[in-house]
Amino acid sequence: MTSLMVRPDAARELQDQQVREEIHALFRSRSGRAARYGSHVADLWQAAAECVLGGKLLRPRLLLDALDALRSTGARSNAVQTSAVRIAAAVEMLHYAFLLHDDVIDGDLWRRGRPNLIGTLLSQHGKGNPLPSDRGALTQDRRRLHWARSGAILMGDLLLSEVHQVFAREHLPERIRLRLLDLLDHTITESIAGEHLDVALSDGMITPEFDSVLTMTRLKTASYTFELPLRAAAILAGSTPRTEEVLGDVGTLLGSAFQLQDDLLSTFGEAGDHGKDAYSDLREGKETVIIAHARRTSAWPEVQPHFGNPQLSTADAVVVRHLLGECGAEEFVRSLIADQLTAAHVLATSAESGLPAGVRSFLTTLTAMVEGRRS
Amino acid sequence: MTSLMVRPDAARELQDQQVREEIHALFRSRSGRAARYGSHVADLWQAAAECVLGGKLLRPRLLLDALDALRSTGARSNAVQTSAVRIAAAVEMLHYAFLLHDDVIDGDLWRRGRPNLIGTLLSQHGKGNPLPSDRGALTQDRRRLHWARSGAILMGDLLLSEVHQVFAREHLPERIRLRLLDLLDHTITESIAGEHLDVALSDGMITPEFDSVLTMTRLKTASYTFELPLRAAAILAGSTPRTEEVLGDVGTLLGSAFQLQDDLLSTFGEAGDHGKDAYSDLREGKETVIIAHARRTSAWPEVQPHFGNPQLSTADAVVVRHLLGECGAEEFVRSLIADQLTAAHVLATSAESGLPAGVRSFLTTLTAMVEGRRS
């Protein structure tokens, strides 16, 4: 993800710094107020702040870089830039709010190669601190897990609320503010529909058909990761609805390609490249497009018994990975990514899209960077 | 709760009708958009709409009645009334969003004497519809429960977002809009701090001292149930910050009394009065002020072995209930409620509070109604 950098290092560093300071300020103000409700709430904010500040700022960077490209020919207003940094910080917090509830739903304790908020809260109340035995019927371990998961649900709620507060209060012309609120609404609707579809697939509530899995990928990730920042930039730049629409469509294509790359990395990449357990997708039975394609091939009867087996051995996982490559699933997904990147390029550069040269150039560079990413 | 009615029946009916229509419209617009993402999302909205429309509208009524009282001497604007109905509907949706995540955290499948959203989703995917066996390691029952609980988490997120959208978009003078957003922020901070404290108590993360339990009660329920509607009314009426503050403080007192009454009803009332399993608080080990008081008495060693026992027999529960009465816990909580109602009355009617006669009279009637409630 660090390879997605359109601007020079020094300017990038300054921009990241501004976004981090904004996120930090939001957390500081929130956790300051929370402290009056007791040390547990303060601890929760502290743990969350540490987790969220470890992010790579992909989404804020997209927003601010796109805004730069959109404004390269017009006048630059400092007020808009300040608003954009705050909206960019809020977009990163939305990402984190989604991750928190996603981790609760998936039962995950790790994220980005280290304990997530649930794992952090669990370790804060480790076995070294015995709990009183006269509380309900749950064992101490079950209660610790319940405590940590509940904290993640509630912190997700707080951050989701905070994101809306930022969008709602920004000092912007009403027309712009309402367009941003529409976009936020659209994004949340799509992302949650995607998460819901993901749960439906993994719990076996719907048949894991290829199209459903592809739709899930687009809704759950592409919408808020690429479409939201690019469209928010267009709105903040005062672009026409048509420009906003094109940027959104390019974002959907790039975001889908990006998520498919993630699926490939998780299945075929080295653990060091993506910070996850190398075979966790297989062990968890995650319904990716790779699996959806494999289901349609003659390799499936060999893959199926291992898929979703939490005790899957490394030796068996290597065999499954080989089968997924042999059956054509890897190649199929690579061609799908290539198709989406081509479509993004065509859309960004076509005359009908009518984008200014600076924006075309930005999107072309961005597309090339997604194409070339290694992690 | 139906006994909390300050206005004549016909006017009440019309007002309830307007709020229900507004909630209905919000759900209709949302679920219409959701339908494009597949039948599962549409089903989720449908099930949620049925659950939320079964509420008794306590909070919207408080808001609209208080607004009436605040405006009885001034000019009435239809625009403010329309905004107030929408804000009142959003307050009811906030209540429902909190209930959804509370039910996930508590593992409850029932609410108000019938299946809650989780219970409804479970029954929609009952044992009559076998799930495919090749999905992950969870049993079918575990997957059904996971599906239903995940739906409740996601619907809570959607409703929480919708509440903010309503507050953010209402056509009101900016000053009023920002005051309402401040209030929403304050309310969510307090309610979630209260929920977090509740989890800390029930998981044994903190000692169940009397003051902590009382604070939890105030934060978790009084804040959004009474303080929010009364203060929102003051803001919408264009009242001074001082009037808003007094209404908020009276609301906190009434809301705490109201929740303590609920605890008494759950422990000592008849099941028919409150729509819950008669002994569920005892079986779940719910840390109420009744229990917090009992812990300080010589009766506790006899109560403790039964507290939080999910298999508690009715015969034993009757004994525990008797002990909680005998040890003075019931009487102590009744006197606490009386103190809070007296304080609310004094605050509402004191010269320093400076409330107009109509508002004083409204709050006095409201206090008397809380005092006399039976369910």
Side-chain angles (χ1 to χ4, degrees), chain A residues 26-258:
Chain A
L26 289 169
F27 269 87
R28 210 165 34 220
S29 122
R30 277 270 175 184
S31 67
R33 272 183 298 158
R36 81 181 63 148
Y37 303 114
S39 63
H40 279 83
V41 188
D43 290 350
L44 178 63
W45 275 102
Q46 181 63 32
E50 281 165 24
C51 293
V52 77
L53 285 168
K56 287 177 187 164
L57 304 183
L58 166 66
R59 294 154 193 87
R61 285 178 177 186
L62 281 175
L63 192 158
L64 295 170
D65 288 354
L67 183 63
D68 263 10
L70 284 155
R71 298 198 302 169
S72 60
T73 51
R76 286 169 183 243
S77 134
N78 280 336
V80 168
Q81 184 65 24
T82 308
S83 288
V85 170
R86 272 199 289 263
I87 297 288
V91 167
E92 184 72 3
M93 292 188 37
L94 180 66
H95 167 51
Y96 191 59
F98 285 150
L99 292 186
L100 284 176
H101 286 185
D102 190 49
D103 283 347
V104 169
I105 287 172
D106 290 351
D108 286 337
L109 306 179
W110 294 82
R111 172 77 66 176
R112 298 169 184 154
R114 57 182 207 181
N116 62 12
L117 181 64
I118 305 173
T120 304
L121 294 173
L122 263 181
S123 68
Q124 279 177 3
H125 299 273
K127 293 179 193 286
N129 306 304
L131 302 178
S133 56
D134 66 338
R135 300 286 184 291
L138 295 181
T139 63
Q140 293 203 12
D141 281 350
R142 290 288 298 276
R143 278 190 279 146
R144 283 195 187 92
L145 188 59
H146 180 261
W147 166 250
R149 288 165 54 103
S150 302
I153 292 177
L154 297 176
M155 182 48 67
D157 291 346
L158 288 168
L159 292 181
L160 188 59
S161 300
E162 184 65 26
V163 170
H164 283 89
Q165 287 280 346
V166 173
F167 274 69
R169 308 176 84 106
E170 204 50 51
H171 283 289
L172 290 163
E174 193 187 13
R175 197 175 38 84
I176 303 279
R177 198 171 52 78
L178 290 178
R179 273 176 75 184
L180 284 173
L181 283 166
D182 281 340
L183 173 61
L184 179 62
D185 188 31
H186 163 81
T187 304
I188 289 174
T189 303
E190 296 229 310
S191 306
I192 290 186
E195 176 78 23
H196 196 238
L197 193 50
D198 195 11
V199 179
L201 286 164
S202 64
D203 284 338
M205 293 292 157
I206 57 175
T207 325
E209 293 183 12
F210 188 84
D211 286 352
S212 302
V213 179
L214 194 57
T215 302
M216 180 271 286
T217 298
R218 174 177 68 77
L219 292 173
K220 182 176 167 180
T221 312
S223 181
Y224 85 88
T225 302
F226 277 77
E227 185 189 347
L228 168 64
L230 295 182
R231 284 182 60 188
I235 294 169
L236 284 162
S239 305
T240 62
R242 171 68 186 149
T243 297
E244 182 192 337
E245 188 191 347
V246 174
L247 278 167
D249 290 346
V250 172
T252 300
L253 290 162
L254 293 181
S256 297
F258 189 86

Side-chain angles (χ1 to χ4, degrees), chain A residues 261-273:
Chain A
Q261 289 174 327
D262 260 7
D263 290 340
L264 283 179
L265 278 168
S266 296
T267 305
F268 300 105
E270 298 304 314
D273 286 347

Side-chain angles (χ1 to χ4, degrees), chain B residues 25-223:
Chain B
L26 289 168
F27 269 86
R28 209 165 36 220
S29 124
R30 279 268 173 184
S31 65
R33 274 183 297 158
R36 82 181 64 149
Y37 304 113
S39 64
H40 278 85
V41 188
D43 291 349
L44 178 62
W45 275 102
Q46 181 62 34
E50 280 165 24
C51 292
V52 76
L53 285 168
K56 287 177 188 165
L57 304 184
L58 167 66
R59 295 153 193 85
R61 286 178 177 186
L62 281 176
L63 192 159
L64 295 170
D65 289 353
L67 183 62
D68 262 9
L70 284 155
R71 299 197 302 170
S72 59
T73 51
R76 286 168 183 245
S77 133
N78 280 336
V80 168
Q81 183 65 24
T82 307
S83 289
V85 170
R86 273 199 288 264
I87 297 288
V91 166
E92 185 72 3
M93 290 181 48
L94 179 65
H95 167 51
Y96 191 58
F98 285 150
L99 292 187
L100 285 176
H101 286 185
D102 190 49
D103 283 347
V104 170
I105 288 172
D106 290 352
D108 287 336
L109 305 179
W110 294 80
R111 172 77 65 177
R112 300 169 183 155
R114 58 182 206 182
N116 62 14
L117 181 64
I118 305 173
T120 304
L121 294 172
L122 263 180
S123 69
Q124 278 177 3
H125 298 273
K127 292 177 193 287
N129 306 303
L131 302 178
S133 57
D134 66 338
R135 301 286 184 293
L138 295 181
T139 63
Q140 293 205 12
D141 281 349
R142 289 290 297 277
R143 278 191 279 145
R144 282 195 187 93
L145 188 59
H146 180 262
W147 166 250
R149 286 164 55 101
S150 302
I153 293 177
L154 297 175
M155 181 48 66
D157 291 347
L158 289 168
L159 292 181
L160 188 59
S161 301
E162 183 64 26
V163 170
H164 283 89
Q165 287 280 346
V166 173
F167 273 70
R169 308 177 85 107
E170 204 49 50
H171 283 290
L172 290 162
E174 193 187 15
R175 195 175 40 84
I176 302 279
R177 199 171 51 79
L178 290 179
R179 273 175 76 185
L180 283 173
L181 284 166
D182 281 340
L183 173 60
L184 180 62
D185 187 32
H186 164 80
T187 303
I188 289 174
T189 303
E190 295 229 310
S191 306
I192 291 186
E195 177 79 21
H196 196 239
L197 193 50
D198 195 10
V199 180
L201 286 164
S202 65
D203 285 338
M205 293 291 157
I206 57 173
T207 324
E209 295 188 9
F210 188 84
D211 285 353
S212 302
V213 180
L214 194 58
T215 302
M216 180 271 284
T217 298
R218 174 177 68 78
L219 292 172
K220 182 177 167 180
T221 311
S223 181

